[in-house]
Amino acid sequence: MKIKDRLVEFTKKKRGLLATNFYNLETLHGVLRAAADLNEPLILQLTQSSIDYMGLETAVNLGRTGLKQFGVEGYLHLDHGGSVELVQKCLDAGFDSVMIDGSELPFDENIKITKEVVKRAKKYGAHVEGELGYVAKLGQDHGGGFTQPHEAKTFVEATGVDALAVAIGTAHGFYKKEPKLDLPLLQQIAAITPSTLVLHGSSGVPSKQVQAAISKGICKVNLATEIKNIFMSTLQQELQQSQEIDLRKVFPKATMKITELVKMKLIMIKNENYATTIH
């Protein structure tokens, strides 16, 4: 099943589809083991930083081979593509989905660059995600403009984009205080916007707020910061307690923690009996 069809199906069912970033073999296997154990589909995401770190061909081969090895229904997605050139490279490399992030551009320029990516992606049968509004990136002020319903409608109609990341109170990275999502605003956007809605910055957002957002129209839920954090914090603890130099013995403990985390998230976004299943 194509990613667009899966997202449309899950939106109708009011359940989420988890999109997890991976950074190396260990983080990839951590998320895939969780999806395989629960028999859940998953979107694997790569940012430009991860592509630069691993190399495009290596990263793509890792993702594709991992999905096959673990028997997971999954899709490869470019997260926060910053240029048409990068998007084109990812389309040529066989990505199922690409994101062009023009959210910091003026509205008309965001439409222009997103429309161009949609045009290119059609030749590959690829799914396209855009972004509208202010979702703070790492190091940026968390205050900013939320996505407005009428602008979202205009943006989607003008670009033909398949999915739209919306600004409703989340930010990338951890929060200094508990975020409060604007659910009424989300509901208004969903009512007049035909595209799949995406929640960026889910790390640190209370589970009940994420579930409420899914029930109001969000489908794709991005998870990155918590994956990096639990992997590195586990490694730091292990290395303080051990003189082991064989990374093949140390890394699996951190990978296992990622699996535990992602299992919790996968159960959460199904919106089924979360409170009685995970504490």
Side-chain angles (χ1 to χ4, degrees):
M1 182 180 288
K2 284 185 171 289
I3 184 173
K4 181 175 182 177
D5 297 329
R6 182 61 76 190
L7 287 165
V8 169
E9 176 198 348
F10 277 17
T11 298
K12 290 177 180 177
K13 291 181 176 178
K14 295 188 182 300
R15 61 152 297 174
L17 181 57
L18 191 65
T20 60
N21 288 54
F22 71 96
Y23 310 91
N24 57 9
L25 179 71
E26 288 71 28
T27 51
L28 173 66
H29 281 194
V31 300
L32 288 176
R33 171 53 61 197
D37 286 352
L38 297 179
N39 193 29
E40 289 291 331
L42 193 72
I43 299 172
L44 296 175
Q45 300 197 142
L46 288 162
T47 60
Q48 180 164 2
S49 295
S50 293
I51 290 170
D52 290 345
Y53 176 67
M54 290 183 277
L56 180 59
E57 186 175 356
T58 298
V60 170
N61 287 337
L62 271 176
R64 293 293 185 208
T65 303
L67 288 169
K68 183 178 180 181
Q69 177 184 339
F70 284 86
V72 171
E73 176 196 324
Y75 311 93
L76 198 58
H77 173 76
L78 170 65
D79 187 28
H80 287 291
S83 69
V84 174
E85 291 73 24
L86 175 61
V87 166
Q88 185 63 56
K89 289 179 181 178
C90 291
L91 290 171
D92 290 337
F95 277 56
D96 302 292
S97 178
V98 291
M99 178 189 183
I100 180 67
D101 183 1
S103 60
E104 296 184 27
L105 298 173
F107 186 68
D108 289 344
E109 290 185 32
N110 191 0
I111 286 178
K112 183 179 179 180
I113 194 172
T114 304
K115 189 174 182 179
E116 174 62 25
V117 167
V118 170
K119 176 184 173 183
R120 295 185 182 215
K122 279 185 178 178
K123 301 175 184 177
Y124 298 80
H127 178 267
V128 179
E129 176 182 331
E131 183 170 331
L132 186 63
Y134 181 86
V135 181
K137 296 177 176 64
L138 292 174
Q140 291 182 332
D141 181 12
H142 283 202
F146 285 7
T147 306
Q148 296 306 306
H150 67 283
E151 288 191 343
K153 183 175 186 293
T154 299
F155 184 84
V156 171
E157 290 176 348
T159 61
V161 75
D162 300 297
L164 183 66
V166 292
I168 56 169
T170 57
H172 297 93
F174 283 125
Y175 299 89
K176 295 179 180 178
K177 61 181 180 179
E178 183 176 306
K180 183 174 177 57
L181 305 188
D182 192 334
L183 297 174
L185 176 62
L186 170 61
Q187 198 164 16
Q188 292 175 41
I189 295 169
I192 61 173
T193 307
S195 65
T196 296
L197 298 183
V198 183
L199 185 71
H200 283 226
S202 78
S203 292
V205 178
S207 59
K208 290 190 181 300
Q209 286 199 51
V210 175
Q211 288 179 303
I214 293 170
S215 71
K216 302 294 185 185
I218 289 290
C219 183
K220 179 172 176 279
V221 178
N222 285 19
L223 180 71
T225 300
E226 285 187 74
I227 291 174
K228 288 187 290 188
N229 179 67
I230 201 165
F231 184 79
M232 291 304 296
S233 61
T234 302
L235 272 185
Q236 288 164 358
Q237 291 173 11
E238 290 296 323
L239 292 173
Q240 287 177 355
Q241 301 167 7
S242 172
Q243 297 300 311
E244 180 61 66
I245 65 167
D246 191 339
L247 57 86
R248 295 166 299 181
K249 295 180 180 179
V250 178
F251 279 10
K253 296 178 181 179
T255 300
M256 181 182 67
K257 290 296 184 181
I258 291 175
T259 298
E260 293 172 358
L261 168 70
V262 174
K263 279 186 176 181
M264 290 171 57
K265 300 294 184 178
L266 287 168
I267 292 170
M268 174 186 70
I269 64 172
K270 288 178 73 174
N271 270 357
E272 296 175 352
N273 304 319
Y274 177 73
T276 60
T277 307
I278 299 294
H279 300 283

